[in-house]
Amino acid sequence: MPFEPLYPTPVPTADAIVDVLVAAGVHYVFGLSGGHTGRIFGALEKRQDAIRTVLVREESLGAVMAETIGRMTGIPGVVLGQGPWILGNGLLGTIEAHLSSSPLLLLTDFSDTPAFSLHAPYQSGTGEYGNWDARQAFGAITKEVFTADAPNAAVVATQLAVKHALAGQPGPVAMIYGIRALDGLAGGDALPKIYPAAPFVAAPALGRPDIGAALALLRGAERPLILAGNGVRIAGAQAALARLAAVTGMPVVTSPSGKGVFDETDAASLGVYGAYGNPSANRAVGSADLILAVGTKMSASDTANADPALIDPRRQTLVQIDIEPRNLSWTFPATAALPGDAADLLGAIADAWDRAPVRSTIAGNVPRTVPLPASDATSGGLHPHEIIAGMQESLPDEAIYTCDAGENRIFMLHYLRSRGVERFIQAAGAGPMGYAIPSALARKLLAPDAPVVAFCGDGGFAMTMNGLITAVEADLPIIVVVMNNDALGWSQHSRGPFATQFARMDYAAIAAGMGCFGASAHDKNELAEAIAGALEATCSGRPAVIDVRTSMDVSFAELSFAKSRALWDAPLPAQELT
């Protein structure tokens, strides 16, 4: 079909750039105006009917919020701001998007002064002597970098940036504008012509590979298992995964980054596997004769450093599905490798399944979690697993959880039983601290009627507690639960107190100073009361912070793979490990 160029009468470049975002289905932009990007903020003001623009207090908040939107919706999240700080401060969300394959669009500038680019102008990122090189710097942490110094090229490049963020394995793409582009008019007689965005931003359809060999392997297996990763989320394949599990009877284990793609209250769910995974999940993975790995890289951290007690191609068959062909047979050789869309391929396998469901008991009688002691009067606070149990007892089933990196994340992966689909998200790609609060803000945008809880340690909370200001200003009443042990818990339990201890802080009082509900809890009863107060506050539109006094008596090391394996009531026969 023929396409007519857009804008026969020229329009401001920034207006045409925002038109690209609207055409791509973008509904949220996060950022902090600076440099030349104020022109795009001005254009966004005219399109408040289509795009909500959220002003953040620091670029890392915007980048994480945009990464979360991209991960959860499949539509690129957008962070907008000045080049040096979208790079530096925004790195938190950008590197997470890069390693977690979340579609993210970084709209930024060179902060250039063209007439003086040879003489080290202030902040300029054009790469000449005395300047910093924005293209090279962004190129190290993104899928692709596009630049533009002319109006029409800026619009076309924005279309291509959206396309690259979505194509194949998604990820972050940087779009860097020069001032000449943003100050000019797009369209008219200038070249290249600007055509409608749809053909550029649409992801091309993938052909379906032959599933015959994979089906034959699945039908012939005695103890098959589904290993689901973050790629299930990226593909929007959660429903297809649930259907396949129901039709085939195969149990489901998730990778750490895949937690949330399958309802953990389902009888087929065995939890998270890996270095700090659930004993039931680890036992099942190690006992399976066939593993259907879907959208997971099976990284060293997932597989307890490739421990053959978990995955061993000498005794197990691997069938692997991934959108990125380079990920197939990456860490382990796959007998059947299926490049393509996970939702399509899982649906095809379910459609072709023609036998009774498998009734495997490969988890045996292994417990779901490692049992840990209860706190007492000498503990100095609640143990982490007790805090998680208290949240699940006091919060409604539809609650959504986000968490930071560090010890809090290990306990959440192990003990939180995610009810329903997509009610848990964490930064498992790069694993940055400071992720929970901005991610919760983005989740609240997507689920305004559900309680959204950011669970973090006091270290992570201190990094992005300025997000509470955004929560107040943007009317995003989240609940933040702080595991306050006056320490970097992971580091202190790993190597001791030096440079891991914090001064005692009253985070509830700090939150109250920002206009939030604040409460402290030292035991289970106080925690239940604080959660009830937080729920009441958020229902009336106020964000809430619960500062929970947390004991250091229990370490994340208690959840290690070695501890998990000690609970296996029927270890694999020695001959199966040789």
Side-chain angles (χ1 to χ4, degrees), residues 129-226:
Y129 175 71
N131 302 342
W132 68 285
D133 191 332
R135 185 179 187 110
Q136 183 178 26
F138 279 104
I141 53 168
T142 60
K143 283 183 66 179
E144 188 56 78
V145 177
F146 290 92
T147 65
D149 287 316
N152 279 26
V155 183
V156 173
T158 305
Q159 294 175 336
L160 295 176
V162 175
K163 177 180 181 178
H164 281 253
L166 293 171
Q169 181 171 284
V173 173
M175 179 64 245
I176 312 175
Y177 304 104
I179 189 172
R180 288 192 178 111
L182 293 178
D183 264 351
L185 296 176
D189 296 328
L191 297 174
K193 293 294 185 181
I194 302 169
Y195 293 98
F200 295 94
V201 304
L206 298 175
R208 179 187 295 174
D210 183 5
I211 63 171
L215 266 173
L217 292 169
L218 288 164
R219 288 168 177 156
E222 295 181 0
R223 301 181 306 280
L225 171 140
I226 300 172

Side-chain angles (χ1 to χ4, degrees), residues 313-470:
R314 295 170 295 181
R315 60 181 175 81
Q316 295 169 310
T317 297
L318 181 65
V319 177
Q320 190 176 4
I321 295 172
D322 205 286
I323 191 74
E324 172 53 70
R326 290 175 295 182
N327 292 347
L328 297 168
S329 293
W330 180 9
T331 52
F332 298 102
T335 303
L338 301 176
D341 179 77
D344 177 61
L345 289 168
L346 292 178
I349 294 171
D351 289 341
W353 192 259
D354 56 1
R355 58 185 55 201
V358 176
R359 296 302 179 195
S360 175
T361 58
I362 55 178
N365 295 317
V366 178
R368 178 104 175 185
T369 58
V370 173
L372 292 178
S375 58
D376 57 29
T378 66
S379 300
L382 289 170
H383 291 163
H385 63 286
E386 294 175 316
I387 301 172
I388 296 167
M391 290 194 298
Q392 294 232 275
E393 290 169 5
S394 299
L395 287 162
D397 289 354
E398 64 270 18
I400 295 168
Y401 299 88
T402 67
C403 69
D404 269 354
E407 200 164 38
N408 69 93
R409 179 170 74 97
I410 300 304
F411 281 100
M412 285 287 273
L413 285 173
H414 197 93
Y415 287 100
L416 182 77
R417 196 146 186 182
S418 185
R419 299 162 177 158
V421 175
E422 298 305 1
R423 293 185 181 144
F424 177 84
I425 189 172
Q426 48 128 0
M433 294 170 62
Y435 182 88
I437 291 175
S439 183
L441 294 173
R443 293 295 283 118
K444 191 66 176 177
L445 281 169
L446 297 175
D449 296 327
V452 178
V453 181
F455 186 67
C456 50
D458 44 349
F461 177 79
M463 288 183 177
T464 50
M465 61 184 174
N466 56 351
L468 294 170
I469 303 175
T470 298

Side-chain angles (χ1 to χ4, degrees), residues 528-546:
E529 292 172 2
I531 291 174
L535 285 170
E536 183 178 354
T538 55
C539 286
S540 63
R542 291 178 67 199
V545 173
I546 303 173

Side-chain angles (χ1 to χ4, degrees), residues 294-305:
V294 187
T296 175
K297 299 170 184 174
M298 292 174 284
S299 67
S301 58
D302 288 353
T303 60
N305 293 326

